[in-house]
PDB file of all heavy atoms in Angstrom:
ATOM      1  N   CYS A   1      10.452  24.925  40.745  1.00  0.00           N
ATOM      2  CA  CYS A   1      10.272  25.682  39.508  1.00  0.00           C
ATOM      3  C   CYS A   1      10.573  27.150  39.752  1.00  0.00           C
ATOM      4  O   CYS A   1      10.641  27.619  40.890  1.00  0.00           O
ATOM      5  CB  CYS A   1       8.857  25.511  38.962  1.00  0.00           C
ATOM      6  SG  CYS A   1       7.567  26.221  40.035  1.00  0.00           S
ATOM      7  N   ALA A   2      10.748  27.870  38.667  1.00  0.00           N
ATOM      8  CA  ALA A   2      10.910  29.322  38.721  1.00  0.00           C
ATOM      9  C   ALA A   2      10.653  29.871  37.329  1.00  0.00           C
ATOM     10  O   ALA A   2      10.711  29.131  36.332  1.00  0.00           O
ATOM     11  CB  ALA A   2      12.299  29.715  39.212  1.00  0.00           C
ATOM     12  N   LEU A   3      10.387  31.171  37.265  1.00  0.00           N
ATOM     13  CA  LEU A   3      10.042  31.850  36.029  1.00  0.00           C
ATOM     14  C   LEU A   3      10.878  33.120  35.932  1.00  0.00           C
ATOM     15  O   LEU A   3      11.179  33.754  36.947  1.00  0.00           O
ATOM     16  CB  LEU A   3       8.550  32.198  36.045  1.00  0.00           C
ATOM     17  CG  LEU A   3       7.927  32.894  34.839  1.00  0.00           C
ATOM     18  CD1 LEU A   3       7.898  31.948  33.637  1.00  0.00           C
ATOM     19  CD2 LEU A   3       6.516  33.357  35.180  1.00  0.00           C
ATOM     20  N   ALA A   4      11.274  33.488  34.708  1.00  0.00           N
ATOM     21  CA  ALA A   4      12.045  34.714  34.501  1.00  0.00           C
ATOM     22  C   ALA A   4      11.514  35.462  33.290  1.00  0.00           C
ATOM     23  O   ALA A   4      11.079  34.846  32.316  1.00  0.00           O
ATOM     24  CB  ALA A   4      13.529  34.397  34.314  1.00  0.00           C
ATOM     25  N   VAL A   5      11.565  36.785  33.355  1.00  0.00           N
ATOM     26  CA  VAL A   5      11.168  37.640  32.238  1.00  0.00           C
ATOM     27  C   VAL A   5      12.282  38.656  32.028  1.00  0.00           C
ATOM     28  O   VAL A   5      12.722  39.310  32.982  1.00  0.00           O
ATOM     29  CB  VAL A   5       9.838  38.371  32.513  1.00  0.00           C
ATOM     30  CG1 VAL A   5       9.394  39.144  31.279  1.00  0.00           C
ATOM     31  CG2 VAL A   5       8.749  37.377  32.937  1.00  0.00           C
ATOM     32  N   CYS A   6      12.758  38.760  30.790  1.00  0.00           N
ATOM     33  CA  CYS A   6      13.901  39.615  30.473  1.00  0.00           C
ATOM     34  C   CYS A   6      13.416  40.947  29.891  1.00  0.00           C
ATOM     35  O   CYS A   6      12.596  40.977  28.980  1.00  0.00           O
ATOM     36  CB  CYS A   6      14.827  38.907  29.491  1.00  0.00           C
ATOM     37  SG  CYS A   6      16.438  39.682  29.354  1.00  0.00           S
ATOM     38  N   ASP A   7      13.957  42.030  30.431  1.00  0.00           N
ATOM     39  CA  ASP A   7      13.584  43.380  30.007  1.00  0.00           C
ATOM     40  C   ASP A   7      14.866  44.184  29.790  1.00  0.00           C
ATOM     41  O   ASP A   7      15.316  44.902  30.677  1.00  0.00           O
ATOM     42  CB  ASP A   7      12.704  44.024  31.083  1.00  0.00           C
ATOM     43  CG  ASP A   7      12.408  45.497  30.814  1.00  0.00           C
ATOM     44  OD1 ASP A   7      12.156  45.842  29.646  1.00  0.00           O
ATOM     45  OD2 ASP A   7      12.456  46.292  31.781  1.00  0.00           O
ATOM     46  N   GLY A   8      15.462  44.036  28.620  1.00  0.00           N
ATOM     47  CA  GLY A   8      16.682  44.771  28.325  1.00  0.00           C
ATOM     48  C   GLY A   8      17.809  44.365  29.247  1.00  0.00           C
ATOM     49  O   GLY A   8      18.218  43.205  29.288  1.00  0.00           O
ATOM     50  N   GLU A   9      18.315  45.337  30.030  1.00  0.00           N
ATOM     51  CA  GLU A   9      19.441  45.041  30.906  1.00  0.00           C
ATOM     52  C   GLU A   9      19.013  44.379  32.214  1.00  0.00           C
ATOM     53  O   GLU A   9      19.857  44.079  33.057  1.00  0.00           O
ATOM     54  CB  GLU A   9      20.213  46.323  31.212  1.00  0.00           C
ATOM     55  CG  GLU A   9      19.439  47.368  31.996  1.00  0.00           C
ATOM     56  CD  GLU A   9      20.270  48.597  32.325  1.00  0.00           C
ATOM     57  OE1 GLU A   9      21.516  48.486  32.310  1.00  0.00           O
ATOM     58  OE2 GLU A   9      19.682  49.654  32.590  1.00  0.00           O
ATOM     59  N   PHE A  10      17.709  44.128  32.383  1.00  0.00           N
ATOM     60  CA  PHE A  10      17.197  43.527  33.608  1.00  0.00           C
ATOM     61  C   PHE A  10      16.491  42.206  33.321  1.00  0.00           C
ATOM     62  O   PHE A  10      15.865  42.045  32.281  1.00  0.00           O
ATOM     63  CB  PHE A  10      16.208  44.463  34.303  1.00  0.00           C
ATOM     64  CG  PHE A  10      16.812  45.744  34.786  1.00  0.00           C
ATOM     65  CD1 PHE A  10      16.666  46.916  34.059  1.00  0.00           C
ATOM     66  CD2 PHE A  10      17.534  45.782  35.964  1.00  0.00           C
ATOM     67  CE1 PHE A  10      17.227  48.096  34.492  1.00  0.00           C
ATOM     68  CE2 PHE A  10      18.091  46.963  36.411  1.00  0.00           C
ATOM     69  CZ  PHE A  10      17.947  48.123  35.676  1.00  0.00           C
ATOM     70  N   VAL A  11      16.594  41.278  34.275  1.00  0.00           N
ATOM     71  CA  VAL A  11      15.785  40.065  34.227  1.00  0.00           C
ATOM     72  C   VAL A  11      15.101  39.920  35.582  1.00  0.00           C
ATOM     73  O   VAL A  11      15.743  39.997  36.636  1.00  0.00           O
ATOM     74  CB  VAL A  11      16.620  38.814  33.877  1.00  0.00           C
ATOM     75  CG1 VAL A  11      17.753  38.566  34.867  1.00  0.00           C
ATOM     76  CG2 VAL A  11      15.717  37.583  33.772  1.00  0.00           C
ATOM     77  N   GLY A  12      13.779  39.784  35.560  1.00  0.00           N
ATOM     78  CA  GLY A  12      13.008  39.616  36.786  1.00  0.00           C
ATOM     79  C   GLY A  12      12.735  38.143  37.043  1.00  0.00           C
ATOM     80  O   GLY A  12      12.392  37.400  36.125  1.00  0.00           O
ATOM     81  N   ILE A  13      12.888  37.713  38.280  1.00  0.00           N
ATOM     82  CA  ILE A  13      12.664  36.322  38.686  1.00  0.00           C
ATOM     83  C   ILE A  13      11.351  36.242  39.457  1.00  0.00           C
ATOM     84  O   ILE A  13      11.127  37.017  40.400  1.00  0.00           O
ATOM     85  CB  ILE A  13      13.817  35.806  39.564  1.00  0.00           C
ATOM     86  CG1 ILE A  13      15.171  36.012  38.873  1.00  0.00           C
ATOM     87  CG2 ILE A  13      13.597  34.335  39.914  1.00  0.00           C
ATOM     88  CD1 ILE A  13      15.341  35.242  37.586  1.00  0.00           C
ATOM     89  N   TYR A  14      10.501  35.292  39.083  1.00  0.00           N
ATOM     90  CA  TYR A  14       9.178  35.168  39.692  1.00  0.00           C
ATOM     91  C   TYR A  14       8.843  33.698  39.970  1.00  0.00           C
ATOM     92  O   TYR A  14       9.465  32.785  39.422  1.00  0.00           O
ATOM     93  CB  TYR A  14       8.107  35.744  38.763  1.00  0.00           C
ATOM     94  CG  TYR A  14       8.265  37.213  38.473  1.00  0.00           C
ATOM     95  CD1 TYR A  14       8.860  37.663  37.292  1.00  0.00           C
ATOM     96  CD2 TYR A  14       7.808  38.171  39.382  1.00  0.00           C
ATOM     97  CE1 TYR A  14       9.007  39.019  37.030  1.00  0.00           C
ATOM     98  CE2 TYR A  14       7.945  39.527  39.128  1.00  0.00           C
ATOM     99  CZ  TYR A  14       8.546  39.942  37.945  1.00  0.00           C
ATOM    100  OH  TYR A  14       8.686  41.283  37.696  1.00  0.00           O
ATOM    101  N   ASP A  15       7.829  33.496  40.793  1.00  0.00           N
ATOM    102  CA  ASP A  15       7.225  32.177  41.032  1.00  0.00           C
ATOM    103  C   ASP A  15       8.262  31.097  41.342  1.00  0.00           C
ATOM    104  O   ASP A  15       8.251  30.011  40.761  1.00  0.00           O
ATOM    105  CB  ASP A  15       6.388  31.761  39.814  1.00  0.00           C
ATOM    106  CG  ASP A  15       5.094  32.547  39.705  1.00  0.00           C
ATOM    107  OD1 ASP A  15       4.616  33.035  40.750  1.00  0.00           O
ATOM    108  OD2 ASP A  15       4.568  32.688  38.594  1.00  0.00           O
ATOM    109  N   VAL A  16       9.146  31.388  42.288  1.00  0.00           N
ATOM    110  CA  VAL A  16      10.106  30.387  42.758  1.00  0.00           C
ATOM    111  C   VAL A  16       9.396  29.510  43.778  1.00  0.00           C
ATOM    112  O   VAL A  16       8.959  29.986  44.829  1.00  0.00           O
ATOM    113  CB  VAL A  16      11.342  31.049  43.385  1.00  0.00           C
ATOM    114  CG1 VAL A  16      12.339  29.986  43.855  1.00  0.00           C
ATOM    115  CG2 VAL A  16      11.997  32.003  42.388  1.00  0.00           C
ATOM    116  N   MET A  17       9.240  28.235  43.460  1.00  0.00           N
ATOM    117  CA  MET A  17       8.496  27.326  44.340  1.00  0.00           C
ATOM    118  C   MET A  17       9.202  25.978  44.429  1.00  0.00           C
ATOM    119  O   MET A  17       9.815  25.526  43.452  1.00  0.00           O
ATOM    120  CB  MET A  17       7.076  27.104  43.818  1.00  0.00           C
ATOM    121  CG  MET A  17       6.214  28.352  43.791  1.00  0.00           C
ATOM    122  SD  MET A  17       4.500  28.009  43.285  1.00  0.00           S
ATOM    123  CE  MET A  17       4.732  27.643  41.536  1.00  0.00           C
ATOM    124  N   THR A  18       9.100  25.356  45.588  1.00  0.00           N
ATOM    125  CA  THR A  18       9.596  23.999  45.797  1.00  0.00           C
ATOM    126  C   THR A  18       8.491  23.172  46.425  1.00  0.00           C
ATOM    127  O   THR A  18       7.841  23.628  47.378  1.00  0.00           O
ATOM    128  CB  THR A  18      10.826  23.978  46.723  1.00  0.00           C
ATOM    129  OG1 THR A  18      11.846  24.820  46.182  1.00  0.00           O
ATOM    130  CG2 THR A  18      11.378  22.565  46.862  1.00  0.00           C
ATOM    131  N   GLY A  19       8.259  21.980  45.889  1.00  0.00           N
ATOM    132  CA  GLY A  19       7.254  21.096  46.460  1.00  0.00           C
ATOM    133  C   GLY A  19       7.572  20.765  47.905  1.00  0.00           C
ATOM    134  O   GLY A  19       8.743  20.640  48.293  1.00  0.00           O
ATOM    135  N   GLU A  20       6.534  20.605  48.715  1.00  0.00           N
ATOM    136  CA  GLU A  20       6.724  20.413  50.152  1.00  0.00           C
ATOM    137  C   GLU A  20       7.634  19.234  50.468  1.00  0.00           C
ATOM    138  O   GLU A  20       8.444  19.283  51.399  1.00  0.00           O
ATOM    139  CB  GLU A  20       5.358  20.222  50.822  1.00  0.00           C
ATOM    140  CG  GLU A  20       5.418  20.181  52.333  1.00  0.00           C
ATOM    141  CD  GLU A  20       4.041  20.167  52.964  1.00  0.00           C
ATOM    142  OE1 GLU A  20       3.043  20.305  52.226  1.00  0.00           O
ATOM    143  OE2 GLU A  20       3.960  20.024  54.203  1.00  0.00           O
ATOM    144  N   ALA A  21       7.535  18.171  49.688  1.00  0.00           N
ATOM    145  CA  ALA A  21       8.333  16.968  49.964  1.00  0.00           C
ATOM    146  C   ALA A  21       9.790  17.111  49.536  1.00  0.00           C
ATOM    147  O   ALA A  21      10.614  16.236  49.848  1.00  0.00           O
ATOM    148  CB  ALA A  21       7.716  15.758  49.258  1.00  0.00           C
ATOM    149  N   TYR A  22      10.128  18.191  48.844  1.00  0.00           N
ATOM    150  CA  TYR A  22      11.474  18.324  48.278  1.00  0.00           C
ATOM    151  C   TYR A  22      12.240  19.526  48.821  1.00  0.00           C
ATOM    152  O   TYR A  22      13.285  19.893  48.275  1.00  0.00           O
ATOM    153  CB  TYR A  22      11.376  18.454  46.752  1.00  0.00           C
ATOM    154  CG  TYR A  22      10.696  17.276  46.094  1.00  0.00           C
ATOM    155  CD1 TYR A  22       9.356  17.368  45.691  1.00  0.00           C
ATOM    156  CD2 TYR A  22      11.368  16.074  45.898  1.00  0.00           C
ATOM    157  CE1 TYR A  22       8.722  16.290  45.086  1.00  0.00           C
ATOM    158  CE2 TYR A  22      10.742  15.002  45.305  1.00  0.00           C
ATOM    159  CZ  TYR A  22       9.420  15.110  44.901  1.00  0.00           C
ATOM    160  OH  TYR A  22       8.796  14.043  44.315  1.00  0.00           O
ATOM    161  N   ARG A  23      11.760  20.120  49.892  1.00  0.00           N
ATOM    162  CA  ARG A  23      12.403  21.317  50.415  1.00  0.00           C
ATOM    163  C   ARG A  23      13.694  20.996  51.164  1.00  0.00           C
ATOM    164  O   ARG A  23      13.942  19.863  51.529  1.00  0.00           O
ATOM    165  CB  ARG A  23      11.421  22.086  51.306  1.00  0.00           C
ATOM    166  CG  ARG A  23      10.266  22.667  50.496  1.00  0.00           C
ATOM    167  CD  ARG A  23       9.179  23.297  51.330  1.00  0.00           C
ATOM    168  NE  ARG A  23       8.092  23.735  50.462  1.00  0.00           N
ATOM    169  CZ  ARG A  23       6.901  24.118  50.898  1.00  0.00           C
ATOM    170  NH1 ARG A  23       6.642  24.131  52.188  1.00  0.00           N
ATOM    171  NH2 ARG A  23       5.961  24.489  50.033  1.00  0.00           N
ATOM    172  N   ARG A  24      14.518  22.039  51.319  1.00  0.00           N
ATOM    173  CA  ARG A  24      15.802  21.949  52.014  1.00  0.00           C
ATOM    174  C   ARG A  24      16.802  21.042  51.288  1.00  0.00           C
ATOM    175  O   ARG A  24      17.639  20.407  51.906  1.00  0.00           O
ATOM    176  CB  ARG A  24      15.609  21.479  53.460  1.00  0.00           C
ATOM    177  CG  ARG A  24      14.706  22.391  54.282  1.00  0.00           C
ATOM    178  CD  ARG A  24      14.640  21.972  55.733  1.00  0.00           C
ATOM    179  NE  ARG A  24      13.717  22.793  56.480  1.00  0.00           N
ATOM    180  CZ  ARG A  24      14.013  24.001  56.982  1.00  0.00           C
ATOM    181  NH1 ARG A  24      15.225  24.496  56.793  1.00  0.00           N
ATOM    182  NH2 ARG A  24      13.108  24.695  57.648  1.00  0.00           N
ATOM    183  N   ARG A  25      16.695  20.985  49.962  1.00  0.00           N
ATOM    184  CA  ARG A  25      17.664  20.230  49.158  1.00  0.00           C
ATOM    185  C   ARG A  25      18.422  21.136  48.187  1.00  0.00           C
ATOM    186  O   ARG A  25      19.218  20.650  47.392  1.00  0.00           O
ATOM    187  CB  ARG A  25      16.965  19.125  48.357  1.00  0.00           C
ATOM    188  CG  ARG A  25      16.193  18.120  49.185  1.00  0.00           C
ATOM    189  CD  ARG A  25      15.777  16.952  48.326  1.00  0.00           C
ATOM    190  NE  ARG A  25      14.773  16.110  48.953  1.00  0.00           N
ATOM    191  CZ  ARG A  25      14.298  14.983  48.422  1.00  0.00           C
ATOM    192  NH1 ARG A  25      14.734  14.592  47.226  1.00  0.00           N
ATOM    193  NH2 ARG A  25      13.387  14.265  49.046  1.00  0.00           N
ATOM    194  N   GLY A  26      18.151  22.420  48.210  1.00  0.00           N
ATOM    195  CA  GLY A  26      18.830  23.341  47.318  1.00  0.00           C
ATOM    196  C   GLY A  26      18.286  23.366  45.906  1.00  0.00           C
ATOM    197  O   GLY A  26      18.922  23.911  44.999  1.00  0.00           O
ATOM    198  N   LEU A  27      17.086  22.799  45.698  1.00  0.00           N
ATOM    199  CA  LEU A  27      16.551  22.710  44.339  1.00  0.00           C
ATOM    200  C   LEU A  27      16.133  24.072  43.806  1.00  0.00           C
ATOM    201  O   LEU A  27      16.312  24.361  42.614  1.00  0.00           O
ATOM    202  CB  LEU A  27      15.367  21.743  44.312  1.00  0.00           C
ATOM    203  CG  LEU A  27      15.672  20.300  44.746  1.00  0.00           C
ATOM    204  CD1 LEU A  27      14.407  19.455  44.695  1.00  0.00           C
ATOM    205  CD2 LEU A  27      16.763  19.688  43.883  1.00  0.00           C
ATOM    206  N   ALA A  28      15.574  24.937  44.659  1.00  0.00           N
ATOM    207  CA  ALA A  28      15.195  26.280  44.210  1.00  0.00           C
ATOM    208  C   ALA A  28      16.429  27.062  43.777  1.00  0.00           C
ATOM    209  O   ALA A  28      16.379  27.858  42.838  1.00  0.00           O
ATOM    210  CB  ALA A  28      14.458  27.017  45.323  1.00  0.00           C
ATOM    211  N   ARG A  29      17.540  26.826  44.441  1.00  0.00           N
ATOM    212  CA  ARG A  29      18.796  27.499  44.065  1.00  0.00           C
ATOM    213  C   ARG A  29      19.170  27.148  42.635  1.00  0.00           C
ATOM    214  O   ARG A  29      19.574  28.018  41.854  1.00  0.00           O
ATOM    215  CB  ARG A  29      19.906  27.078  45.032  1.00  0.00           C
ATOM    216  CG  ARG A  29      21.278  27.667  44.692  1.00  0.00           C
ATOM    217  CD  ARG A  29      22.355  27.073  45.593  1.00  0.00           C
ATOM    218  NE  ARG A  29      23.671  27.565  45.243  1.00  0.00           N
ATOM    219  CZ  ARG A  29      24.315  28.526  45.885  1.00  0.00           C
ATOM    220  NH1 ARG A  29      23.746  29.129  46.911  1.00  0.00           N
ATOM    221  NH2 ARG A  29      25.520  28.904  45.500  1.00  0.00           N
ATOM    222  N   TYR A  30      19.041  25.873  42.273  1.00  0.00           N
ATOM    223  CA  TYR A  30      19.377  25.457  40.915  1.00  0.00           C
ATOM    224  C   TYR A  30      18.414  26.076  39.899  1.00  0.00           C
ATOM    225  O   TYR A  30      18.823  26.462  38.805  1.00  0.00           O
ATOM    226  CB  TYR A  30      19.366  23.937  40.806  1.00  0.00           C
ATOM    227  CG  TYR A  30      20.583  23.285  41.411  1.00  0.00           C
ATOM    228  CD1 TYR A  30      20.489  22.529  42.569  1.00  0.00           C
ATOM    229  CD2 TYR A  30      21.831  23.424  40.819  1.00  0.00           C
ATOM    230  CE1 TYR A  30      21.602  21.933  43.132  1.00  0.00           C
ATOM    231  CE2 TYR A  30      22.951  22.837  41.364  1.00  0.00           C
ATOM    232  CZ  TYR A  30      22.841  22.085  42.522  1.00  0.00           C
ATOM    233  OH  TYR A  30      23.949  21.516  43.078  1.00  0.00           O
ATOM    234  N   ALA A  31      17.141  26.140  40.265  1.00  0.00           N
ATOM    235  CA  ALA A  31      16.164  26.725  39.342  1.00  0.00           C
ATOM    236  C   ALA A  31      16.489  28.188  39.071  1.00  0.00           C
ATOM    237  O   ALA A  31      16.504  28.639  37.917  1.00  0.00           O
ATOM    238  CB  ALA A  31      14.754  26.582  39.924  1.00  0.00           C
ATOM    239  N   VAL A  32      16.754  28.950  40.134  1.00  0.00           N
ATOM    240  CA  VAL A  32      17.081  30.365  39.970  1.00  0.00           C
ATOM    241  C   VAL A  32      18.400  30.510  39.207  1.00  0.00           C
ATOM    242  O   VAL A  32      18.542  31.367  38.333  1.00  0.00           O
ATOM    243  CB  VAL A  32      17.155  31.073  41.340  1.00  0.00           C
ATOM    244  CG1 VAL A  32      17.647  32.505  41.182  1.00  0.00           C
ATOM    245  CG2 VAL A  32      15.788  31.055  42.009  1.00  0.00           C
ATOM    246  N   HIS A  33      19.371  29.664  39.522  1.00  0.00           N
ATOM    247  CA  HIS A  33      20.666  29.723  38.845  1.00  0.00           C
ATOM    248  C   HIS A  33      20.509  29.557  37.338  1.00  0.00           C
ATOM    249  O   HIS A  33      21.109  30.306  36.546  1.00  0.00           O
ATOM    250  CB  HIS A  33      21.584  28.626  39.394  1.00  0.00           C
ATOM    251  CG  HIS A  33      22.891  28.505  38.672  1.00  0.00           C
ATOM    252  ND1 HIS A  33      23.931  29.391  38.852  1.00  0.00           N
ATOM    253  CD2 HIS A  33      23.322  27.603  37.763  1.00  0.00           C
ATOM    254  CE1 HIS A  33      24.945  29.041  38.081  1.00  0.00           C
ATOM    255  NE2 HIS A  33      24.601  27.959  37.415  1.00  0.00           N
ATOM    256  N   ALA A  34      19.704  28.592  36.917  1.00  0.00           N
ATOM    257  CA  ALA A  34      19.508  28.362  35.487  1.00  0.00           C
ATOM    258  C   ALA A  34      18.920  29.597  34.818  1.00  0.00           C
ATOM    259  O   ALA A  34      19.314  29.965  33.705  1.00  0.00           O
ATOM    260  CB  ALA A  34      18.603  27.150  35.274  1.00  0.00           C
ATOM    261  N   LEU A  35      17.983  30.263  35.501  1.00  0.00           N
ATOM    262  CA  LEU A  35      17.336  31.429  34.910  1.00  0.00           C
ATOM    263  C   LEU A  35      18.263  32.648  34.907  1.00  0.00           C
ATOM    264  O   LEU A  35      18.190  33.482  33.998  1.00  0.00           O
ATOM    265  CB  LEU A  35      16.042  31.739  35.652  1.00  0.00           C
ATOM    266  CG  LEU A  35      14.950  30.672  35.471  1.00  0.00           C
ATOM    267  CD1 LEU A  35      13.737  31.007  36.336  1.00  0.00           C
ATOM    268  CD2 LEU A  35      14.546  30.537  34.021  1.00  0.00           C
ATOM    269  N   LEU A  36      19.125  32.763  35.910  1.00  0.00           N
ATOM    270  CA  LEU A  36      20.106  33.847  35.898  1.00  0.00           C
ATOM    271  C   LEU A  36      21.068  33.680  34.730  1.00  0.00           C
ATOM    272  O   LEU A  36      21.432  34.657  34.057  1.00  0.00           O
ATOM    273  CB  LEU A  36      20.868  33.884  37.226  1.00  0.00           C
ATOM    274  CG  LEU A  36      20.055  34.245  38.465  1.00  0.00           C
ATOM    275  CD1 LEU A  36      20.928  34.184  39.706  1.00  0.00           C
ATOM    276  CD2 LEU A  36      19.421  35.623  38.330  1.00  0.00           C
ATOM    277  N   ASN A  37      21.459  32.457  34.473  1.00  0.00           N
ATOM    278  CA  ASN A  37      22.319  32.194  33.317  1.00  0.00           C
ATOM    279  C   ASN A  37      21.606  32.543  32.015  1.00  0.00           C
ATOM    280  O   ASN A  37      22.189  33.131  31.100  1.00  0.00           O
ATOM    281  CB  ASN A  37      22.736  30.719  33.295  1.00  0.00           C
ATOM    282  CG  ASN A  37      23.920  30.450  34.202  1.00  0.00           C
ATOM    283  OD1 ASN A  37      24.748  31.317  34.448  1.00  0.00           O
ATOM    284  ND2 ASN A  37      23.984  29.242  34.732  1.00  0.00           N
ATOM    285  N   TRP A  38      20.334  32.160  31.928  1.00  0.00           N
ATOM    286  CA  TRP A  38      19.550  32.485  30.732  1.00  0.00           C
ATOM    287  C   TRP A  38      19.457  34.001  30.550  1.00  0.00           C
ATOM    288  O   TRP A  38      19.630  34.519  29.445  1.00  0.00           O
ATOM    289  CB  TRP A  38      18.149  31.885  30.849  1.00  0.00           C
ATOM    290  CG  TRP A  38      17.216  32.343  29.768  1.00  0.00           C
ATOM    291  CD1 TRP A  38      17.145  31.895  28.483  1.00  0.00           C
ATOM    292  CD2 TRP A  38      16.216  33.374  29.883  1.00  0.00           C
ATOM    293  NE1 TRP A  38      16.163  32.568  27.788  1.00  0.00           N
ATOM    294  CE2 TRP A  38      15.579  33.475  28.616  1.00  0.00           C
ATOM    295  CE3 TRP A  38      15.794  34.195  30.920  1.00  0.00           C
ATOM    296  CZ2 TRP A  38      14.547  34.386  28.386  1.00  0.00           C
ATOM    297  CZ3 TRP A  38      14.771  35.102  30.693  1.00  0.00           C
ATOM    298  CH2 TRP A  38      14.159  35.184  29.424  1.00  0.00           C
ATOM    299  N   GLY A  39      19.187  34.723  31.656  1.00  0.00           N
ATOM    300  CA  GLY A  39      19.099  36.167  31.573  1.00  0.00           C
ATOM    301  C   GLY A  39      20.391  36.789  31.074  1.00  0.00           C
ATOM    302  O   GLY A  39      20.370  37.713  30.249  1.00  0.00           O
ATOM    303  N   GLU A  40      21.506  36.284  31.547  1.00  0.00           N
ATOM    304  CA  GLU A  40      22.795  36.810  31.086  1.00  0.00           C
ATOM    305  C   GLU A  40      23.000  36.523  29.603  1.00  0.00           C
ATOM    306  O   GLU A  40      23.497  37.368  28.857  1.00  0.00           O
ATOM    307  CB  GLU A  40      23.932  36.202  31.908  1.00  0.00           C
ATOM    308  CG  GLU A  40      25.279  36.839  31.617  1.00  0.00           C
ATOM    309  CD  GLU A  40      26.374  36.327  32.529  1.00  0.00           C
ATOM    310  OE1 GLU A  40      26.315  35.138  32.909  1.00  0.00           O
ATOM    311  OE2 GLU A  40      27.284  37.100  32.847  1.00  0.00           O
TER     312      GLU A  40
END
């Protein structure tokens, strides 16, 4: 999971977490990617 808050020309990314059983699969990358797209 991850959380984003948009403030004008900036978007802050927070609470990026991956469950212990699911680490090292690139899932956090996808979560952050989705939020960066949303921020844009």
Side-chain angles (χ1 to χ4, degrees):
C1 66
L3 181 68
V5 185
C6 194
D7 173 41
E9 64 178 339
F10 296 100
V11 59
I13 306 297
Y14 298 99
D15 287 335
V16 181
M17 297 184 289
T18 303
E20 187 173 354
Y22 301 101
R23 293 173 184 168
R24 301 185 184 278
R25 302 191 194 184
L27 300 179
R29 177 187 177 100
Y30 284 111
V32 174
H33 174 76
L35 293 175
L36 294 178
N37 277 332
W38 171 79
E40 188 174 33

